[in-house]
Each structure stands twice: as C-alpha cells, then as structure tokens.
Amino acid sequence: MNNFVCKYVKHMDIMFVKYVRKSLTFIVAMSISFVASALTRTEEHHFFRHRGMDREYLLYIPEGIGPDAPLVMVLHGYGGRAMKGGENLREVADREKFAVCYAQGAKDARGKTCWNVGYPFQAGLETDDVDFLCKLARHLQKEYNLSRNNTFLTGMSNGGEMCYLMAYLRPDFFAAVAPISGLTLVWMDKELHSKGPVPLMEVHGTSDKTSAWAGEPENEGGWGAYLSVPMAVAKWAVEAKCTHEVTENLPLRRNAVVLHRYCGGEPAWKGGPEIEVRLYEVVGGKHSWAEADMDTCEEIWRFFSKYLR
C-alpha cells in the first residue's frame, strides 16, 4: 500500500511539473506577444526644423498601412503635451489604417506650451503655427507617402482654437477639422474672412467653465472675447450654404449628447459629398474630450471619413 501511495504521489508530481511548464510556456508566449504588440504601437518621437526652431511631434503609423494613407493631426490644449488627449485615435487608426501625428506646441512668454491663436497674452509671440502645421503635414506626406488630399486636423481647447484659425486661413489644406471644446475668438470673426467652406465638427459641454458655451464678450477668463459655441458653429454652416438641421440623440453613457447636423451644404469638391457641419452638444459636459459621454475618437473618424477622396 505504501509503495502504491509513493508511486501515485510521484506520478502526480510529474503531472504537476508538466502542467506548470506548459502554463509558464503559455504565459511567456503571451507576454512576448503582448510586448511585441505594444512595441508596434509605440509612437515615434521626432523633431522638425521650422524657422530656426526644433519643433517636436509624436508619430503613430499602424502596421500594414498602405501608400497614400490618410493623416490625422492632433493638437493638445494650453500648457499641454503631445498625446495628452486623443490617444484613442490610435485604436481607430489600427483598424482604419491611417497615420496620427500628435504635434507639440512651442512655449510662450509664460513658459507654457501652446498654439498661437491670438490670445491677448500672446501679443508679440512670433510663433507661426499655421505655417508650422502646414509645413509639418507636407513633410509627413512626403516622408511617409501619406495622402495630401486626406489630411485632417483635430484638437482640444487651445488646439480647438487652432482648428478654427486654420479653417479661416487654410480651408484648402485640411479636408475637415474637428475642434473639441474649442472657441472662435472675436478677433477672428471680425478680422478674418473665410476663404471657403470647410467640413467642421465641434464637441462641446454646456457646463464648460473654461470655454463657456454661451460665449464671453467681456474677456472675463483672459482668453480674449469669444463667440458663443452655437453661433461660432453656425457661421460655418452658413459658409457651407447648409440648408437644414437634423437633430439626433447619441446613445446615453453619462451626460446626454445631442448631435446637431447642418446638412445640404455645397459639395466638398466637384462630384464629392455635401459639406456638413456638426455640433455635438454635451448637456452638462465639462471642459474635456467628452470621452465618458461619447466615443469621441470614433465620431471624429466617422466624420472625417466622409471626406476621403
């Protein structure tokens, strides 16, 4: 009986060792696979020389991307860093096969990273971010064989203001723009004249205390006077000659999101789709990408993809 027990225990020990070995092999294999996958998703850090300054950007190119693939450029908020916001665009890019560039703003007199959009405290700032972003996009298109026609721009807060500025000054350059919690400063509205319509979508919370939904004509926040969000978006709907509005509610997550679609605009190009302007009204939403309220990055690409050529 004792011999039987000893043999049984020995047999069980051998089986346990084999099981552990197999389990460890599986875990190691999965770990290697995970690490390899993570490595393919690493953003490359680069510098681009622009007007005597080395400007930074992070570039994400998914595996299997083809020639003439689209490019989406993402801009951070005031005082922010590249890729602090809009990170989920990488997951969309993996599926849809487009490149994502997270550009880095230069520092202002306060020592804050920013985009030069004409805030009162940016007076005297010589950084030309309109030219920088256009030159950087051209560099990426050439260096990585990306599409000149299918280049898009999005950004949050200060980056959103940059989207509006680019819509005024270079509507021919980006196929569509998507400001998030962005503003149209009064100086833009008074001094700039649009050079043409542009497909545009804005995501904005009605309880945003940094970029107020109702606008701020007296510059109480220090960013400069700016238009109300509905008025700022409506100006681009008028520019595109949109004829009607369609309203729908997105699936509820946290705060309700009402999508206002201004439709019936001019064709984006001869024989192309109508230009559409969108306003995602996040009811009670704060100053953010609104990713707890909606799938913001999916909505951005869903809108951009309407204008692929």
Side-chain angles (χ1 to χ4, degrees):
M1 185 69 177
N2 289 338
N3 288 338
F4 174 78
V5 171
C6 289
K7 287 180 181 179
Y8 179 77
V9 170
K10 184 177 181 180
H11 173 73
M12 292 302 294
D13 285 344
I14 292 171
M15 293 298 292
F16 178 73
V17 169
K18 287 182 178 179
Y19 172 77
V20 170
R21 284 177 177 172
K22 287 183 179 180
S23 298
L24 287 173
T25 300
F26 176 76
I27 291 170
V28 169
M30 289 299 293
S31 298
I32 291 173
S33 175
F34 176 79
V35 170
S37 176
L39 287 173
T40 62
R41 288 178 56 81
T42 300
E43 298 75 27
E44 296 180 356
H45 181 247
H46 297 275
F47 288 93
F48 178 71
R49 191 76 174 171
H50 179 259
R51 299 191 177 182
M53 185 185 300
D54 286 327
R55 301 293 299 269
E56 298 178 74
Y57 66 94
L58 296 173
L59 183 64
Y60 181 71
I61 299 184
E63 283 191 333
I65 197 170
D68 208 35
L71 169 64
V72 176
M73 301 187 74
V74 186
L75 309 181
H76 59 76
Y78 185 75
R81 293 292 301 173
M83 227 183 75
K84 294 297 182 183
E87 298 97 326
N88 291 339
L89 269 170
R90 294 171 300 168
E91 296 179 9
V92 185
D94 283 337
R95 185 186 71 241
E96 301 294 341
K97 303 304 180 189
F98 60 86
V100 188
C101 173
Y102 296 89
Q104 179 63 56
K107 291 184 178 180
D108 62 11
R110 297 176 169 185
K112 299 287 189 180
T113 54
C114 69
W115 306 103
N116 189 359
V117 296
Y119 297 142
F121 56 83
Q122 289 180 327
L125 186 62
E126 296 181 357
T127 310
D128 186 345
D129 285 317
V130 172
D131 188 68
F132 164 62
L133 292 173
C134 290
K135 293 284 177 58
L136 175 58
R138 285 287 183 252
H139 167 73
L140 296 176
Q141 291 160 359
K142 182 178 180 181
E143 186 73 14
Y144 297 93
N145 195 20
L146 301 173
S147 174
R148 291 172 67 103
N149 290 324
N150 299 320
T151 295
F152 304 90
L153 182 67
T154 185
M156 188 255 179
S157 193
N158 180 214
E161 275 90 271
M162 194 68 215
C163 290
Y164 279 112
L165 184 59
M166 197 66 76
Y168 272 107
L169 298 177
R170 295 302 305 268
D172 59 316
F173 196 91
F174 293 98
V177 299
I180 311 297
S181 298
L183 300 171
T184 295
L185 297 164
V186 168
W187 82 261
M188 295 180 189
D189 181 52
K190 290 185 178 298
E191 299 179 24
L192 301 179
H193 300 284
S194 174
K195 298 178 181 179
V198 59
L200 179 145
M201 63 166 274
E202 164 80 36
V203 178
H204 212 109
T206 59
S207 296
D208 187 333
K209 295 187 182 304
T210 304
S211 305
W213 175 268
E216 207 170 81
E218 303 300 329
N219 184 27
E220 295 174 8
W223 306 106
Y226 54 87
L227 306 181
S228 74
V229 174
M231 182 178 293
V233 173
K235 294 180 78 66
W236 292 103
V238 171
E239 182 68 33
K241 295 182 171 57
C242 294
T243 58
H244 58 285
E245 177 185 355
V246 177
T247 303
E248 58 189 80
N249 295 311
L250 268 60
L252 184 63
R253 289 189 174 184
R254 184 182 62 176
N255 293 306
V257 180
V258 182
L259 170 55
H260 306 268
R261 295 173 52 223
Y262 302 96
C263 309
E266 293 181 337
W269 60 86
K270 188 175 181 179
E274 295 176 346
I275 290 178
E276 186 177 310
V277 174
R278 293 185 177 186
L279 172 58
Y280 292 77
E281 177 186 358
V282 185
V283 182
K286 309 298 184 183
H287 192 68
S288 72
W289 280 81
E291 290 177 314
D293 306 304
M294 56 184 279
D295 200 337
T296 307
C297 290
E298 288 284 356
E299 289 294 321
I300 289 171
W301 180 249
R302 191 173 293 118
F303 181 69
F304 284 171
S305 63
K306 289 169 56 71
Y307 302 100
L308 291 172
R309 298 180 69 171

